[in-house]
């Protein structure tokens, strides 16, 4: 081979291996999300809520932002009541929802991602009563005749579902419209215990009511939490990509870092309240809140 031809071929090979092919597909040329995705949420701190500036905040919000950023997607968060958000997901006017428990009914209209975190259902008492009320199992509620406060909306585990009628018959069941009212009613002395999400219940109590709660031993339920994608507006391929993002950010520790951050924020709020207020002060704060609430 002539020397000049050899040098030309050598340069050509260098160009092929050094520079990407002109026809190679890039992430920007073939995006996972061709347009911004809409994600619905309702106020459920510390997982999601709308701040005074109208911006979505919370653990689930930060996690979804991280998944979307990894995929190069843009998310528009829409604050919408829970029941309405499910209707919007069915019709495809909403692309996604966060913090979802998988059920057969929901699988009819939604694709579920891999689980990205877990939730626990626990029992709580006012901090000043933690030494006087002890439980090692669910049946202790009946043997000790303890009144249980339960928000009317939510899943609280098989033990509660199986004994709900018995609780009512023995006048141990006190229903409330939501978590805020439950905390107020507990402070007012309407019940001895309160049931709810292990992270949300003490966070809401400390943030909105200025109350510190103590958790009791029994773990009543343990659920895997998923993203829900609308079958009308999202594809199976997009689901696979979000699963990939969940896997990568779980394996590199980013998911654990974000969860730990919000756990510490919740703990810091409760510790601050405990240091600033005496038990009498906290009871008075709860009573005042109840008296002046609508």
């Amino acid at each position: 081979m002539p020397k000049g031809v050899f040098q030309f071929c050598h340069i050509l090979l260098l160009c092929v291996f050094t520079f990407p092919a002109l026809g190679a597909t890039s992430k920007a040329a073939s995006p996972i999300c061709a347009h911004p995705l809409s994600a619905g949420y309702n106020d459920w701190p510390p997982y999601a809520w709308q701040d005074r500036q109208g911006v979505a905040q919370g653990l689930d919000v930060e996690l979804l932002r991280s998944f979307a950023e990894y995929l190069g997607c843009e998310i528009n968060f829409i604050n919408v009541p829970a029941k309405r958000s499910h209707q919007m997901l069915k019709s495809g006017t909403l692309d996604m929802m966060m913090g979802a428990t998988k059920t057969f009914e929901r699988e009819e209209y939604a694709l579920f991602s891999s689980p990205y975190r877990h939730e626990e259902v626990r029992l709580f008492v006012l901090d000043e009563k933690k030494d006087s009320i002890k439980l090692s199992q669910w049946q202790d509620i009946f043997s000790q005749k303890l009144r249980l406060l339960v928000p009317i909306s939510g899943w609280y585990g098989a033990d509660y579902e199986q004994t709900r009628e018995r609780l009512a018959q023995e006048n141990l069941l006190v229903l409330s419209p939501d978590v805020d009212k439950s905390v107020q009613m507990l402070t007012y002395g309407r019940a001895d215990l309160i049931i709810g999400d292990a992270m949300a219940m003490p966070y809401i109590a400390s943030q909105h009511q200025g109350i510190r709660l103590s958790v009791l031993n029994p773990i009543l339920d343990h659920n895997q939490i998923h993203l829900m994608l609308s079958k009308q507006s999202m594809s199976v391929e997009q689901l696979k990509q979000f699963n990939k993002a969940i896997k990568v950010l779980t394996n590199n520790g980013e998911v654990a870092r974000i969860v730990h951050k919000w756990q510490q924020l919740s703990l810091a709020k409760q510790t601050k309240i405990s240091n600033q207020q005496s038990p009498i002060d906290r009871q008075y704060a709860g009573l005042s809140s109840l008296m002046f609430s609508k």
Side-chain angles (χ1 to χ4, degrees), residues 16-51:
V16 169
F17 287 103
T18 304
F19 300 100
L22 292 177
T25 302
S26 67
K27 189 173 183 180
S30 181
I32 299 304
C33 310
H35 56 80
L37 301 177
S38 58
Y41 71 99
N42 59 301
D43 292 327
W44 180 236
Y47 300 115
W49 77 91
Q50 182 173 276
D51 66 18

Side-chain angles (χ1 to χ4, degrees), residues 87-289:
Q87 294 299 322
M88 294 173 67
L89 201 73
K90 288 180 183 179
S91 66
T93 54
L94 197 64
D95 296 315
M96 305 179 69
M97 289 176 62
M98 308 170 290
T101 302
K102 184 186 292 188
T103 66
F104 290 116
E105 179 185 2
R106 292 174 176 179
E107 285 184 301
E108 293 181 2
Y109 58 88
L111 302 168
F112 281 82
S113 75
S114 303
Y116 64 90
R117 64 173 177 83
H118 297 83
E119 284 184 356
E120 290 180 352
V121 177
R122 305 290 293 267
L123 293 167
F124 300 87
V125 296
L126 292 172
D127 190 57
E128 54 266 26
K129 293 187 177 181
K130 63 183 179 182
D131 295 327
S132 59
I133 298 178
K134 301 288 187 180
L135 268 79
S136 59
Q137 58 184 347
W138 179 259
Q139 291 300 321
D140 291 343
I141 293 177
F142 296 98
S143 61
Q144 298 180 36
K145 301 298 180 183
L146 298 171
R147 297 164 298 162
L148 177 65
L149 253 167
V150 183
I152 57 175
S153 177
W155 168 260
Y156 302 109
D159 286 330
Y160 170 71
E161 289 298 321
Q162 293 169 4
T163 60
R164 181 169 52 182
E165 291 186 6
R166 182 185 171 189
L167 286 166
Q169 290 171 357
E170 297 187 21
N171 295 318
L172 299 177
L173 179 61
V174 182
L175 297 176
S176 69
D178 53 44
V179 176
D180 279 330
K181 290 295 184 183
S182 292
V183 175
Q184 291 176 348
M185 292 167 70
L186 184 70
T187 308
Y188 190 63
R190 292 285 303 278
D192 305 296
L193 310 169
I194 194 170
I195 193 170
D197 179 86
M199 191 171 179
M201 184 63 76
Y203 188 93
I204 292 172
S206 63
Q207 185 180 44
H208 295 294
Q209 306 296 339
I211 303 299
R212 181 177 171 87
L213 300 177
S214 288
V215 66
L216 298 175
N217 284 328
I219 298 176
L220 304 179
D221 201 32
H222 185 88
N223 294 316
Q224 293 182 325
I225 300 301
H226 310 258
L227 300 175
M228 289 176 65
L229 280 63
S230 170
K231 286 186 175 181
Q232 294 296 320
S233 63
M234 300 288 283
S235 67
V236 173
E237 180 58 32
Q238 287 173 309
L239 174 67
K240 291 179 180 178
Q241 292 301 318
F242 271 96
N243 283 340
K244 177 182 177 181
I246 291 170
K247 182 177 181 180
V248 170
L249 271 65
T250 297
N251 290 341
N252 70 13
E254 180 64 7
V255 170
R257 183 194 68 79
I258 293 172
V259 171
H260 180 72
K261 164 191 166 182
W262 285 96
Q263 288 173 335
Q264 293 304 304
L265 284 172
S266 178
L267 181 62
K269 280 181 174 292
Q270 294 176 68
T271 302
K272 182 178 179 181
I273 288 169
S274 183
N275 291 337
Q276 288 180 346
Q277 292 182 315
S278 68
I280 294 177
D281 290 332
R282 293 200 298 277
Q283 289 180 354
Y284 179 78
L287 285 169
S288 297
S289 180

